[in-house]
């Protein structure tokens, strides 16, 4: 039997969590056709995978890659073994939005006025169809994106007409193929939205079998209440829930994930709920001067009026100027920051949680990004699984492949099995490790040998190949709410 490609002699970890086993993998026309001992077969192309793990390509369930997919080389993700990203998180989606002037924070994480150029969700997906991305994308439509254009006064709940306009936006996105609706209730444009407003909008995604992904209202003092609110929204709207970047933020709240995770586990008996996590004890977003108190240290990632501040501590800059941190933060705006506000114990507790998927939450356009952008997946595999033994390697792989594919309804991805898309990551289990650090935040990981999307290499020998075999994926099936 002659195949397009045969990957020989690797240890296949198939994405289900079952023990890795030695097998060859055959690929034809972008799909996996056989897995097993393929001594009789030959390939147009053959890859020697002895000593390597052959895993499904990783699914990064929490990204802000909406724009990077369009015009970027996606090296930050391909270099980690990621073959599919979920974009439109935290209530921020690139479409549908054509702002008049600079988009307000945190919308500016994705770009400026000229980057928000898609009047409809469908036109954004079509742009991705014509300029193929490097890796696959799956998309949420964001509450903040809709709110900043339809709600006249962002400091109050939306009125009836505004809710109707936002509902129409959610419906159009779902018809175009969005996988669900996301919120960032923590952020100024959405803080005034009461639970009822969010339920009304999430309901618009329900008939399509969409899901609800949320950067919750509060991840510190009201962590448990915020989890309860998210679960309530899922129940009332009748959709599955994904809690974004689960954490306990602020020294006074360390340890609280010991209480929030049991709430999630108990709820899972009656409704579909999962969460994502990134493997770092520091968060990153826009600079929010009224949110400095929770952090031991604030590192600036970018500043429009003071570009030289990128990579420096806010306190050092404030001391130089002889002003308070708050005053300095106001002077740096618009800006981005990294917040040292979590405990390692909470991070590990969330990582161990069996319903936790891995999501980088990387911010691709920051000049000095949080290292999670380049390091998340290899850090889970190398540091947390191999070095600390937090979970077996097969389980770490499942949390980045089979589990997210199931939760986001991607039936033909996230597994190594005949019929599945040939989205694959070949990595060295002995050496895989993140290299991105705060000093050198854009360093590719070690040990990721080859990454294929639909059978085509996008990352090989430590560099992008230049191929763009990715697709704008449309929601494939309804996602069960329970
Ligand atoms: Zn977020
Ligand atoms: Cu996010």
């Amino acid at each position: 039997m002659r195949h397009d490609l045969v990957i020989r002699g690797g240890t296949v970890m198939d994405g289900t969590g079952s023990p890795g086993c030695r097998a060859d993998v055959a690929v034809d026309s972008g799909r996996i056709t056989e897995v097993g001992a393929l001594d009789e077969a030959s390939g147009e192309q053959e890859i020697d995978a002895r000593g390597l793990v052959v895993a499904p390509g990783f699914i990064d369930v929490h990204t802000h890659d909406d724009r990077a997919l369009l015009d970027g080389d996606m090296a930050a993700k391909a270099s980690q073994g990621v073959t599919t990203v979920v974009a439109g998180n935290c209530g921020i989606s690139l479409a549908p939005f054509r702002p008049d002037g600079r988009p307000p924070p945190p919308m500016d994480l994705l770009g400026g006025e000229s980057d928000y150029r898609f009047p409809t969700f469908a036109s954004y997906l079509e742009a991705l169809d014509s300029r193929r991305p490097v890796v696959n994308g799956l998309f949420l439509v964001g509450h903040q994106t809709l709110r900043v254009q339809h709600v006249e006064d962002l400091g109050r709940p939306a009125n009836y007409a505004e809710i109707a306009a936002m509902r129409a936006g959610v419906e159009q996105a779902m018809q175009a193929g969005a996988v669900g609706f996301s919120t960032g209730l923590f952020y100024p444009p959405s803080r005034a939205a009461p639970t009822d407003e969010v339920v009304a909008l999430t309901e618009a995604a329900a008939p399509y079998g969409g899901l609800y992904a949320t950067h919750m209202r509060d991840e510190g003092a009201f962590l448990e209440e915020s989890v309860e609110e998210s679960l309530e929204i899922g129940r009332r709207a009748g959709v599955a829930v994904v809690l974004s970047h689960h954490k306990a933020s602020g020294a006074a709240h360390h340890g609280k994930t010991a209480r929030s995770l049991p709430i999630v586990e108990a709820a899972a008996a009656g409704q579909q709920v999962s969460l994502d996590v990134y493997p770092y004890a520091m968060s990153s977003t826009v600079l929010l001067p009224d949110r400095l108190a929770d952090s031991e240290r604030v590192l600036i990632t970018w500043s429009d009026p003071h570009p030289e501040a990128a990579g420096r501590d806010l306190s050092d800059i404030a001391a130089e100027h002889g002003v308070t941190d708050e005053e300095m933060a106001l002077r740096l705006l618009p800006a981005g920051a990294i917040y040292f506000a979590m405990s390692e114990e909470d991070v590990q507790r969330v990582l161990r949680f069996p319903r936790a998927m891995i999501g980088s939450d990387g911010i691709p356009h920051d000049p000095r990004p949080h290292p999670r952008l380049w390091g998340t997946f290899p850090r889970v595999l190398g540091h947390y699984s191999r070095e600390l033994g937090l979970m077996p390697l097969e389980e770490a792989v499942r949390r980045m492949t089979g589990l997210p594919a199931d939760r986001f309804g991607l039936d033909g991805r996230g597994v190594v099995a005949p019929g599945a898309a040939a989205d694959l990551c070949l990595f060295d289990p002995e050496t895989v490790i993140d290299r991105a650090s705060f000093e050198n935040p854009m360093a590719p990981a070690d040990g990721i040998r080859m990454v294929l999307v639909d059978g085509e290499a996008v990352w090989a020998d430590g560099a992008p190949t230049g191929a763009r075999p990715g697709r704008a994926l449309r929601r494939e099936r309804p996602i069960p709410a329970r």
Side-chain angles (χ1 to χ4, degrees):
M1 179 75 192
R2 187 114 179 123
H3 297 284
D4 290 355
L5 168 66
V6 176
I7 301 168
R8 288 202 188 276
T11 298
V12 171
M13 293 189 186
D14 67 1
T16 65
S18 49
C21 67
R22 181 83 180 260
D24 308 321
V25 177
V27 173
D28 294 283
S29 305
R31 304 216 149 256
I32 296 168
T33 42
E34 282 188 75
V35 181
L38 305 178
D39 299 335
E40 310 292 297
S42 65
E44 208 71 43
Q45 189 197 350
E46 300 235 346
I47 297 171
D48 180 1
R50 281 174 299 175
L52 302 179
V53 168
V54 179
F58 308 142
I59 300 172
D60 187 349
V61 296
H62 191 109
T63 84
H64 297 286
D65 289 333
D66 306 49
R67 168 154 79 95
L69 281 167
L70 277 169
D71 52 26
D73 66 4
M74 295 299 291
K77 296 301 166 68
S79 63
Q80 298 184 53
V82 171
T83 56
T84 297
V85 299
V86 179
N89 274 284
C90 298
I92 310 164
S93 57
L94 197 62
F97 191 27
R98 268 194 308 194
D100 192 9
R102 188 191 168 94
M107 306 290 299
D108 53 355
L109 287 179
L110 293 186
E113 184 179 359
S114 61
D115 298 306
Y116 281 95
R117 59 182 191 275
F118 300 102
T120 62
F121 211 80
S123 64
Y124 166 64
L125 297 182
E126 282 156 19
L128 283 166
D129 290 340
S130 53
R131 166 102 170 109
R132 298 274 296 271
V134 174
V135 301
N136 304 308
L138 183 69
F139 305 91
L140 298 156
V141 61
H143 182 211
Q144 298 196 75
T145 296
L146 297 170
R147 206 166 202 275
V148 297
Q149 48 193 316
H150 295 299
V151 178
E152 201 173 300
D153 175 0
L154 292 172
R156 60 156 171 76
N159 63 34
Y160 185 80
E162 291 163 346
I163 286 179
M166 289 192 283
R167 275 185 72 114
V170 174
E171 263 163 37
Q172 278 173 23
M174 295 307 297
Q175 281 161 8
V179 73
F181 174 61
S182 80
T183 60
L185 300 175
F186 165 82
Y187 290 105
S190 296
R191 274 181 203 162
T195 306
D196 286 350
E197 175 182 323
V198 182
V199 170
L201 302 181
T202 309
E203 276 173 347
Y208 302 90
L211 58 74
Y212 175 62
T214 180
H215 179 159
M216 301 188 299
R217 211 175 276 285
D218 188 283
E219 296 176 326
F222 297 98
L223 177 63
E224 292 150 86
E225 291 83 348
S226 294
V227 170
E228 297 284 12
E229 181 189 29
S230 309
L231 294 167
E232 177 190 336
I233 291 165
R235 281 192 307 269
R236 285 174 57 193
V239 304
V241 175
V242 177
L243 308 177
S244 298
H245 41 61
H246 199 62
K247 65 169 83 72
S249 192
H253 314 300
H254 290 174
K256 276 196 171 183
T257 60
R259 302 214 288 274
S260 63
L261 294 174
I263 297 173
V264 174
E265 190 53 43
Q271 68 187 111
Q272 198 192 108
V273 53
S274 50
L275 54 85
D276 61 73
V277 60
Y278 51 79
Y280 297 86
M282 312 86 188
S283 63
S284 182
T285 183
V286 286
L287 181 60
L288 298 161
D290 61 336
R291 296 283 165 155
L292 302 176
D294 278 352
S295 300
E296 278 161 43
R297 189 183 158 199
V298 175
L299 197 63
I300 302 300
T301 51
W302 59 274
S303 162
D304 262 13
H306 294 279
E308 74 284 357
R312 300 195 60 206
D313 269 56
L314 175 64
S315 300
D316 293 346
I317 310 169
E320 277 170 27
H321 286 74
V323 297
T324 63
D325 288 9
E326 283 71 16
E327 173 56 31
M328 194 64 231
L330 288 167
R331 292 187 193 179
L332 293 176
L333 294 179
I338 291 166
Y339 301 85
F340 291 67
M342 288 177 246
S343 78
E344 177 64 22
E345 196 192 340
D346 280 308
V347 172
Q348 294 193 15
R349 188 182 291 118
V350 179
L351 281 169
R352 281 194 306 264
F353 188 60
R355 294 175 194 283
M357 303 177 280
I358 307 303
S360 71
D361 201 8
I363 305 173
H365 312 294
D366 284 3
R368 285 193 63 94
H370 186 302
R372 67 194 184 190
L373 176 65
W374 286 78
T376 289
F377 291 81
R379 184 169 171 79
V380 171
L381 299 171
H383 180 59
Y384 285 105
S385 173
R386 184 184 64 237
E387 292 175 357
L388 298 189
L390 223 58
M391 63 187 104
L393 195 56
E394 287 86 346
E395 173 65 4
V397 168
R398 182 184 77 88
R399 308 284 206 81
M400 7 182 120
T401 59
L403 179 63
D406 174 61
R407 291 301 145 129
F408 283 82
L410 295 173
D411 291 338
R413 296 179 200 273
V415 287
V416 178
D423 292 355
L424 297 165
C425 172
L426 278 54
F427 69 90
D428 183 338
E430 304 297 327
T431 63
V432 64
I433 196 75
D434 58 305
R435 288 287 171 217
S437 62
F438 289 98
E439 295 70 39
N440 187 13
M442 290 160 61
D446 280 350
I448 305 289
R449 287 297 175 73
M450 189 180 266
V451 183
L452 303 109
V453 173
D454 266 358
E456 208 174 321
V458 295
W459 181 266
D461 306 319
T465 63
R468 302 185 75 90
R471 292 169 198 282
L473 303 176
R474 272 63 166 183
R475 182 188 66 257
E476 289 175 4
R477 61 161 165 87
I479 295 160
R482 33 184 316 134

